Short mmCIF file of all heavy atoms in Angstrom, two decimals:
data_model
loop_
_atom_site.label_atom_id
_atom_site.label_comp_id
_atom_site.label_asym_id
_atom_site.label_seq_id
_atom_site.Cartn_x
_atom_site.Cartn_y
_atom_site.Cartn_z
N THR A 20 -3.05 20.30 22.39
CA THR A 20 -2.82 21.56 22.96
C THR A 20 -4.06 22.40 23.32
O THR A 20 -4.03 23.33 24.11
CB THR A 20 -1.97 22.34 22.11
OG1 THR A 20 -2.50 22.45 20.63
CG2 THR A 20 -0.50 21.84 21.88
N SER A 21 -5.16 22.05 22.51
CA SER A 21 -6.30 22.88 22.79
C SER A 21 -6.99 22.70 24.09
O SER A 21 -7.77 23.49 24.64
CB SER A 21 -7.42 22.49 21.76
OG SER A 21 -7.90 21.27 21.81
N GLY A 22 -6.61 21.57 24.89
CA GLY A 22 -7.08 21.42 26.27
C GLY A 22 -6.49 22.47 27.30
O GLY A 22 -6.88 22.63 28.30
N SER A 23 -5.46 23.26 26.73
CA SER A 23 -4.85 24.35 27.62
C SER A 23 -5.43 25.66 27.12
O SER A 23 -4.85 26.72 27.55
CB SER A 23 -3.43 24.26 27.69
OG SER A 23 -3.02 22.97 28.02
N ILE A 24 -6.36 25.69 26.32
CA ILE A 24 -6.64 27.08 25.67
C ILE A 24 -8.24 27.27 26.12
O ILE A 24 -9.11 26.40 25.88
CB ILE A 24 -6.63 27.03 24.23
CG1 ILE A 24 -5.31 26.76 23.66
CG2 ILE A 24 -7.19 28.36 23.61
CD1 ILE A 24 -4.10 27.75 24.23
N VAL A 25 -8.53 28.42 26.63
CA VAL A 25 -9.88 28.73 27.09
C VAL A 25 -10.47 29.96 26.26
O VAL A 25 -9.65 30.63 25.58
CB VAL A 25 -10.03 29.10 28.59
CG1 VAL A 25 -9.47 28.00 29.41
CG2 VAL A 25 -9.16 30.34 28.82
N VAL A 27 -11.97 33.70 26.62
CA VAL A 27 -12.06 34.62 27.59
C VAL A 27 -13.21 35.63 27.14
O VAL A 27 -13.18 36.07 26.02
CB VAL A 27 -10.67 35.52 27.66
CG1 VAL A 27 -10.90 36.70 28.61
CG2 VAL A 27 -9.60 34.57 28.08
N SER A 34 -9.00 34.54 23.13
CA SER A 34 -8.48 33.24 23.74
C SER A 34 -7.61 33.44 24.96
O SER A 34 -7.23 34.71 25.19
CB SER A 34 -7.63 32.52 22.72
OG SER A 34 -8.36 32.24 21.53
N GLY A 35 -7.36 32.53 25.80
CA GLY A 35 -6.46 32.50 26.95
C GLY A 35 -5.60 31.32 26.96
O GLY A 35 -6.20 30.21 26.58
N THR A 36 -4.47 31.29 27.40
CA THR A 36 -3.65 30.18 27.44
C THR A 36 -3.31 29.93 28.94
O THR A 36 -2.72 30.76 29.72
CB THR A 36 -2.31 30.33 26.74
OG1 THR A 36 -2.67 30.72 25.38
CG2 THR A 36 -1.41 29.26 26.74
N VAL A 37 -3.48 28.66 29.39
CA VAL A 37 -3.33 28.29 30.77
C VAL A 37 -1.79 28.04 30.79
O VAL A 37 -1.13 27.20 30.25
CB VAL A 37 -4.00 26.86 31.12
CG1 VAL A 37 -3.69 26.59 32.52
CG2 VAL A 37 -5.44 27.02 30.91
N THR A 38 -1.10 28.89 31.69
CA THR A 38 0.35 28.90 31.91
C THR A 38 0.70 28.31 33.33
O THR A 38 1.94 27.95 33.45
CB THR A 38 0.97 30.26 31.72
OG1 THR A 38 0.27 31.14 32.71
CG2 THR A 38 0.75 30.80 30.35
N ALA A 39 -0.08 28.12 34.22
CA ALA A 39 0.17 27.57 35.55
C ALA A 39 -1.16 27.22 36.19
O ALA A 39 -2.29 27.48 35.61
CB ALA A 39 0.91 28.60 36.42
N ASP A 40 -1.21 26.50 37.26
CA ASP A 40 -2.40 26.10 37.92
C ASP A 40 -3.15 27.28 38.24
O ASP A 40 -2.82 28.27 38.85
CB ASP A 40 -1.96 25.42 39.30
CG ASP A 40 -1.32 23.98 38.99
OD1 ASP A 40 -1.45 23.44 37.84
OD2 ASP A 40 -0.68 23.59 40.11
N ASN A 41 -4.41 27.29 37.75
CA ASN A 41 -5.45 28.33 37.92
C ASN A 41 -4.99 29.70 37.29
O ASN A 41 -5.59 30.67 37.73
CB ASN A 41 -5.78 28.52 39.32
CG ASN A 41 -6.46 27.25 40.00
OD1 ASN A 41 -6.97 26.50 39.18
ND2 ASN A 41 -6.20 26.97 41.23
N GLU A 42 -4.04 29.84 36.48
CA GLU A 42 -3.65 31.03 35.88
C GLU A 42 -3.68 30.94 34.36
O GLU A 42 -3.25 29.93 33.71
CB GLU A 42 -2.18 31.29 36.28
CG GLU A 42 -2.12 31.67 37.81
CD GLU A 42 -0.73 31.93 38.18
OE1 GLU A 42 0.30 32.02 37.46
OE2 GLU A 42 -0.58 32.23 39.38
N ILE A 43 -4.16 32.01 33.72
CA ILE A 43 -4.33 32.07 32.35
C ILE A 43 -3.76 33.45 31.71
O ILE A 43 -3.85 34.53 32.38
CB ILE A 43 -5.85 32.20 31.90
CG1 ILE A 43 -6.50 30.81 32.41
CG2 ILE A 43 -6.07 32.53 30.40
CD1 ILE A 43 -8.12 31.02 32.25
N LEU A 44 -2.89 33.36 30.72
CA LEU A 44 -2.32 34.47 30.16
C LEU A 44 -3.17 34.84 28.84
O LEU A 44 -3.43 33.93 28.03
CB LEU A 44 -0.85 34.14 29.67
CG LEU A 44 0.04 35.41 29.46
CD1 LEU A 44 0.21 36.23 30.74
CD2 LEU A 44 1.51 34.76 29.17
N THR A 45 -3.41 36.04 28.72
CA THR A 45 -4.19 36.56 27.45
C THR A 45 -3.74 37.96 27.17
O THR A 45 -2.71 38.48 27.68
CB THR A 45 -5.70 36.53 27.80
OG1 THR A 45 -6.43 36.71 26.53
CG2 THR A 45 -6.10 37.62 28.82
N VAL A 46 -4.37 38.65 26.09
CA VAL A 46 -3.96 39.93 25.61
C VAL A 46 -4.67 40.94 26.61
O VAL A 46 -5.77 40.69 27.07
CB VAL A 46 -4.21 40.20 24.27
CG1 VAL A 46 -3.35 39.34 23.30
CG2 VAL A 46 -5.66 40.01 23.96
N VAL A 57 -14.41 33.24 31.98
CA VAL A 57 -13.82 32.28 31.01
C VAL A 57 -14.65 31.21 30.77
O VAL A 57 -15.39 30.67 31.75
CB VAL A 57 -12.35 31.92 31.42
CG1 VAL A 57 -11.44 33.14 31.57
CG2 VAL A 57 -12.36 31.09 32.75
N GLN A 68 -10.33 36.75 37.83
CA GLN A 68 -9.72 37.91 38.40
C GLN A 68 -8.54 38.36 37.54
O GLN A 68 -7.55 37.57 37.28
CB GLN A 68 -9.43 37.83 39.83
CG GLN A 68 -8.94 39.16 40.50
CD GLN A 68 -10.22 40.05 40.79
OE1 GLN A 68 -11.37 39.70 40.84
NE2 GLN A 68 -9.84 41.33 40.78
N VAL A 70 -5.20 39.72 37.55
CA VAL A 70 -4.07 39.95 38.54
C VAL A 70 -3.20 41.02 38.22
O VAL A 70 -2.81 41.75 39.10
CB VAL A 70 -3.28 38.56 38.61
CG1 VAL A 70 -2.08 38.70 39.62
CG2 VAL A 70 -4.10 37.35 39.09
N GLY A 71 -2.92 41.22 36.92
CA GLY A 71 -2.08 42.33 36.49
C GLY A 71 -1.96 42.35 34.91
O GLY A 71 -2.36 41.50 34.35
N SER A 76 4.18 44.38 26.83
CA SER A 76 4.04 43.12 26.08
C SER A 76 2.46 42.86 25.61
O SER A 76 2.13 42.06 24.91
CB SER A 76 4.35 41.86 26.82
OG SER A 76 3.70 41.79 27.95
N LEU A 78 0.10 41.99 27.61
CA LEU A 78 -0.31 40.67 28.15
C LEU A 78 -0.99 41.00 29.49
O LEU A 78 -0.68 41.98 30.17
CB LEU A 78 0.86 39.77 28.46
CG LEU A 78 1.50 39.18 27.17
CD1 LEU A 78 2.79 38.38 27.57
CD2 LEU A 78 0.50 38.23 26.44
N ALA A 79 -1.88 40.15 29.86
CA ALA A 79 -2.61 40.15 31.08
C ALA A 79 -2.68 38.85 31.79
O ALA A 79 -2.83 37.86 31.03
CB ALA A 79 -3.99 40.85 31.03
N LEU A 80 -2.64 38.70 33.11
CA LEU A 80 -2.75 37.41 33.80
C LEU A 80 -4.05 37.36 34.51
O LEU A 80 -4.42 38.36 35.32
CB LEU A 80 -1.52 37.27 34.74
CG LEU A 80 -1.48 35.89 35.44
CD1 LEU A 80 -1.06 34.81 34.29
CD2 LEU A 80 -0.51 35.93 36.54
N LEU A 81 -4.66 36.24 34.31
CA LEU A 81 -6.11 36.01 35.02
C LEU A 81 -5.92 34.86 36.01
O LEU A 81 -4.98 33.87 35.72
CB LEU A 81 -7.14 35.59 33.96
CG LEU A 81 -7.29 36.54 32.77
CD1 LEU A 81 -8.40 35.86 31.85
CD2 LEU A 81 -7.52 37.92 33.09
N ARG A 82 -6.61 34.92 37.12
CA ARG A 82 -6.46 33.85 38.05
C ARG A 82 -7.86 33.32 38.22
O ARG A 82 -8.96 34.00 38.42
CB ARG A 82 -6.01 34.39 39.41
CG ARG A 82 -5.79 33.30 40.42
CD ARG A 82 -4.96 33.63 41.55
NE ARG A 82 -3.53 33.75 41.18
CZ ARG A 82 -2.62 34.74 41.50
NH1 ARG A 82 -3.13 35.69 42.40
NH2 ARG A 82 -1.46 34.72 41.12
N VAL A 83 -8.03 32.20 38.05
CA VAL A 83 -9.33 31.36 38.21
C VAL A 83 -9.40 30.29 39.08
O VAL A 83 -8.73 29.20 39.00
CB VAL A 83 -9.76 30.86 36.73
CG1 VAL A 83 -11.27 30.19 36.69
CG2 VAL A 83 -9.59 31.93 35.67
N LEU A 86 -9.94 26.11 38.20
CA LEU A 86 -9.80 25.91 36.78
C LEU A 86 -9.49 24.53 36.30
O LEU A 86 -10.19 24.02 35.46
CB LEU A 86 -8.65 26.90 36.40
CG LEU A 86 -8.41 26.90 34.76
CD1 LEU A 86 -9.65 27.45 33.96
CD2 LEU A 86 -7.23 27.75 34.40
N ASN A 87 -8.58 23.96 37.00
CA ASN A 87 -8.28 22.38 36.79
C ASN A 87 -8.06 22.03 35.33
O ASN A 87 -8.51 21.14 34.84
CB ASN A 87 -9.22 21.64 37.30
CG ASN A 87 -9.46 21.81 38.88
OD1 ASN A 87 -8.46 21.90 39.51
ND2 ASN A 87 -10.68 21.69 39.38
N LEU A 88 -7.09 22.82 34.61
CA LEU A 88 -6.77 22.62 33.26
C LEU A 88 -5.27 22.45 33.14
O LEU A 88 -4.59 23.10 33.99
CB LEU A 88 -7.32 23.67 32.34
CG LEU A 88 -8.69 23.75 32.08
CD1 LEU A 88 -9.02 25.04 31.20
CD2 LEU A 88 -9.40 22.51 31.59
N PRO A 89 -4.59 21.60 32.27
CA PRO A 89 -3.26 21.40 32.18
C PRO A 89 -2.57 22.73 31.59
O PRO A 89 -2.94 23.26 30.55
CB PRO A 89 -3.05 20.20 31.22
CG PRO A 89 -4.29 20.30 30.32
CD PRO A 89 -5.41 20.83 31.27
N PRO A 90 -1.54 23.07 32.34
CA PRO A 90 -0.73 24.30 31.84
C PRO A 90 0.05 23.90 30.58
O PRO A 90 0.46 22.67 30.43
CB PRO A 90 0.22 24.69 32.93
CG PRO A 90 -0.27 23.90 34.14
CD PRO A 90 -0.99 22.69 33.61
N VAL A 91 0.38 24.80 29.77
CA VAL A 91 1.27 24.59 28.64
C VAL A 91 2.64 24.34 29.14
O VAL A 91 3.06 24.80 30.21
CB VAL A 91 1.25 25.65 27.55
CG1 VAL A 91 -0.15 25.73 27.00
CG2 VAL A 91 1.68 26.98 28.25
N THR A 92 3.51 23.77 28.27
CA THR A 92 4.89 23.67 28.50
C THR A 92 5.64 24.37 27.44
O THR A 92 5.33 24.44 26.30
CB THR A 92 5.48 22.19 28.57
OG1 THR A 92 5.10 21.63 27.35
CG2 THR A 92 4.72 21.48 29.70
N ALA A 93 6.88 25.02 27.77
CA ALA A 93 7.54 25.92 26.89
C ALA A 93 8.31 25.02 25.77
O ALA A 93 8.69 23.87 26.19
CB ALA A 93 8.56 26.77 27.58
N SER A 94 8.31 25.45 24.66
CA SER A 94 9.06 24.75 23.56
C SER A 94 10.50 24.71 23.99
O SER A 94 11.18 25.52 24.65
CB SER A 94 8.98 25.62 22.34
OG SER A 94 9.92 25.00 21.29
N VAL A 106 -3.34 27.94 18.01
CA VAL A 106 -4.61 27.55 18.50
C VAL A 106 -5.30 28.49 19.47
O VAL A 106 -4.76 28.97 20.21
CB VAL A 106 -4.39 26.19 19.42
CG1 VAL A 106 -5.71 25.55 19.86
CG2 VAL A 106 -3.53 25.10 18.64
N GLY A 144 -4.38 35.80 22.27
CA GLY A 144 -4.32 35.27 23.70
C GLY A 144 -4.20 33.79 23.44
O GLY A 144 -3.96 32.96 24.50
N GLY A 145 -4.30 33.17 22.36
CA GLY A 145 -4.08 31.88 22.16
C GLY A 145 -2.81 31.43 22.00
O GLY A 145 -1.75 32.30 22.14
N GLY A 146 -2.36 30.14 21.97
CA GLY A 146 -1.02 29.70 21.91
C GLY A 146 -0.51 29.34 20.58
O GLY A 146 -1.23 28.93 19.55
N VAL A 147 0.78 29.66 20.44
CA VAL A 147 1.49 29.22 19.16
C VAL A 147 2.42 28.02 19.57
O VAL A 147 3.25 28.33 20.49
CB VAL A 147 2.42 30.41 18.53
CG1 VAL A 147 3.09 29.91 17.28
CG2 VAL A 147 1.48 31.58 18.34
N PHE A 148 2.28 26.96 18.84
CA PHE A 148 3.00 25.70 19.37
C PHE A 148 3.81 25.08 18.41
O PHE A 148 3.53 25.25 17.05
CB PHE A 148 1.91 24.68 19.72
CG PHE A 148 1.07 25.02 20.84
CD1 PHE A 148 -0.19 25.59 20.67
CD2 PHE A 148 1.42 24.90 22.10
CE1 PHE A 148 -1.04 26.04 21.77
CE2 PHE A 148 0.62 25.25 23.26
CZ PHE A 148 -0.63 25.88 23.05
N GLY A 152 4.27 20.27 20.53
CA GLY A 152 3.18 20.73 21.49
C GLY A 152 3.79 21.69 22.42
O GLY A 152 3.17 22.04 23.49
N GLY A 153 5.10 22.04 22.30
CA GLY A 153 5.69 23.07 23.02
C GLY A 153 5.26 24.56 22.78
O GLY A 153 5.07 24.78 21.50
N LEU A 154 5.11 25.37 23.76
CA LEU A 154 4.65 26.74 23.57
C LEU A 154 5.76 27.62 22.99
O LEU A 154 6.72 27.72 23.48
CB LEU A 154 4.06 27.35 24.78
CG LEU A 154 3.52 28.81 24.68
CD1 LEU A 154 2.22 28.75 24.06
CD2 LEU A 154 3.53 29.47 26.04
N VAL A 155 5.45 28.17 21.81
CA VAL A 155 6.44 29.06 21.19
C VAL A 155 6.17 30.51 21.43
O VAL A 155 7.06 31.37 21.39
CB VAL A 155 6.51 28.88 19.61
CG1 VAL A 155 7.38 29.74 18.90
CG2 VAL A 155 7.03 27.30 19.32
N GLY A 156 4.82 30.82 21.65
CA GLY A 156 4.40 32.24 21.84
C GLY A 156 2.99 32.30 22.10
O GLY A 156 2.20 31.39 22.06
N ILE A 157 2.54 33.61 22.51
CA ILE A 157 1.24 34.00 22.72
C ILE A 157 0.79 34.96 21.57
O ILE A 157 1.32 35.88 21.42
CB ILE A 157 0.97 34.69 24.12
CG1 ILE A 157 1.46 33.75 25.26
CG2 ILE A 157 -0.36 35.11 24.25
CD1 ILE A 157 0.57 32.61 25.40
N ALA A 158 -0.24 34.50 20.92
CA ALA A 158 -0.68 35.18 19.68
C ALA A 158 -1.35 36.55 20.07
O ALA A 158 -1.94 36.67 21.07
CB ALA A 158 -1.71 34.33 18.94
N VAL A 170 3.99 37.15 21.18
CA VAL A 170 5.02 37.38 22.25
C VAL A 170 5.73 36.14 22.38
O VAL A 170 5.24 35.03 22.79
CB VAL A 170 4.44 37.79 23.59
CG1 VAL A 170 5.45 38.04 24.61
CG2 VAL A 170 3.52 39.01 23.36
N PRO A 171 7.06 36.08 22.25
CA PRO A 171 7.89 34.71 22.38
C PRO A 171 7.59 34.21 23.77
O PRO A 171 7.32 34.85 24.70
CB PRO A 171 9.28 35.28 22.23
CG PRO A 171 9.17 36.42 21.35
CD PRO A 171 7.91 37.16 21.81
N ALA A 172 7.64 32.78 23.80
CA ALA A 172 7.19 32.15 24.97
C ALA A 172 8.14 32.44 26.23
O ALA A 172 7.59 32.70 27.30
CB ALA A 172 7.32 30.59 24.73
N GLU A 173 9.43 32.67 25.97
CA GLU A 173 10.33 32.89 27.09
C GLU A 173 9.90 34.16 27.90
O GLU A 173 9.81 34.38 28.92
CB GLU A 173 11.66 33.05 26.68
CG GLU A 173 12.66 33.43 27.79
CD GLU A 173 14.18 33.41 27.14
OE1 GLU A 173 14.45 33.31 26.00
OE2 GLU A 173 15.08 33.59 28.10
N ARG A 174 9.60 35.28 26.95
CA ARG A 174 9.21 36.54 27.47
C ARG A 174 7.82 36.49 28.11
O ARG A 174 7.52 37.05 29.18
CB ARG A 174 9.23 37.52 26.34
CG ARG A 174 8.77 38.98 26.77
CD ARG A 174 8.81 40.04 25.66
NE ARG A 174 8.36 41.37 26.13
CZ ARG A 174 8.11 42.33 25.22
NH1 ARG A 174 8.13 42.11 24.01
NH2 ARG A 174 7.78 43.58 25.67
N ALA A 175 6.87 35.74 27.41
CA ALA A 175 5.53 35.67 27.98
C ALA A 175 5.37 34.95 29.34
O ALA A 175 4.82 35.44 30.15
CB ALA A 175 4.58 35.07 26.91
N LEU A 176 6.22 33.96 29.47
CA LEU A 176 6.21 33.20 30.70
C LEU A 176 6.90 33.96 31.77
O LEU A 176 6.49 33.87 32.87
CB LEU A 176 6.83 31.82 30.52
CG LEU A 176 5.96 30.88 29.64
CD1 LEU A 176 6.80 29.65 29.42
CD2 LEU A 176 4.67 30.69 30.11
N LYS A 177 7.90 34.76 31.55
CA LYS A 177 8.55 35.58 32.47
C LYS A 177 7.56 36.66 32.87
O LYS A 177 7.43 36.90 34.09
CB LYS A 177 9.70 36.26 31.85
CG LYS A 177 10.47 37.20 32.87
CD LYS A 177 11.77 37.83 32.23
CE LYS A 177 12.48 38.69 33.17
NZ LYS A 177 13.68 39.26 32.59
N VAL A 178 6.85 37.33 32.01
CA VAL A 178 5.80 38.38 32.33
C VAL A 178 4.77 37.62 33.30
O VAL A 178 4.29 38.26 34.22
CB VAL A 178 5.14 38.92 31.04
CG1 VAL A 178 3.98 39.69 31.43
CG2 VAL A 178 6.17 39.72 30.35
N ALA A 179 4.29 36.47 32.89
CA ALA A 179 3.31 35.83 33.71
C ALA A 179 3.72 35.49 35.13
O ALA A 179 2.98 35.79 36.04
CB ALA A 179 2.92 34.43 33.02
N GLY A 180 5.10 35.10 35.31
CA GLY A 180 5.70 34.86 36.60
C GLY A 180 5.69 36.17 37.45
O GLY A 180 5.32 36.14 38.56
N LEU A 181 6.10 37.21 36.88
CA LEU A 181 6.17 38.60 37.47
C LEU A 181 4.78 39.12 37.97
O LEU A 181 4.60 39.55 38.91
CB LEU A 181 6.93 39.62 36.72
CG LEU A 181 8.45 39.32 36.47
CD1 LEU A 181 8.99 40.30 35.35
CD2 LEU A 181 9.11 39.53 37.68
N LEU A 182 3.78 38.98 37.07
CA LEU A 182 2.47 39.36 37.29
C LEU A 182 1.87 38.48 38.43
O LEU A 182 1.08 39.04 39.32
CB LEU A 182 1.66 39.28 36.00
CG LEU A 182 1.83 40.32 34.86
CD1 LEU A 182 0.96 40.14 33.70
CD2 LEU A 182 1.68 41.81 35.38
N ALA A 183 2.17 37.26 38.30
CA ALA A 183 1.62 36.44 39.48
C ALA A 183 2.19 36.80 40.81
O ALA A 183 1.55 36.68 41.87
CB ALA A 183 1.99 34.99 39.11
N ARG A 184 3.49 37.21 40.72
CA ARG A 184 4.16 37.53 42.11
C ARG A 184 3.94 38.82 42.50
O ARG A 184 3.57 39.13 43.72
CB ARG A 184 5.65 37.29 41.91
CG ARG A 184 6.43 37.44 43.13
CD ARG A 184 7.95 37.32 42.89
NE ARG A 184 8.37 38.74 42.19
CZ ARG A 184 9.65 38.77 41.60
NH1 ARG A 184 10.49 37.79 41.71
NH2 ARG A 184 9.90 39.91 41.05
#
Side-chain angles (χ1 to χ4, degrees):
T20 56
S21 64
S23 301
I24 307 296
V25 302
V27 179
S34 302
T36 301
V37 181
T38 55
D40 290 341
N41 297 333
E42 292 179 359
I43 297 168
L44 201 57
T45 188
V46 293
V57 300
Q68 185 72 29
V70 176
S76 62
L78 291 175
L80 186 70
L81 311 179
R82 186 164 289 140
V83 185
L86 183 61
N87 297 325
L88 293 177
V91 295
T92 56
S94 169
V106 184
V147 181
F148 299 95
L154 183 72
V155 174
I157 300 295
V170 180
E173 181 179 7
R174 181 184 179 193
L176 295 176
K177 180 178 180 180
V178 167
L181 290 170
L182 291 176
R184 187 188 70 188

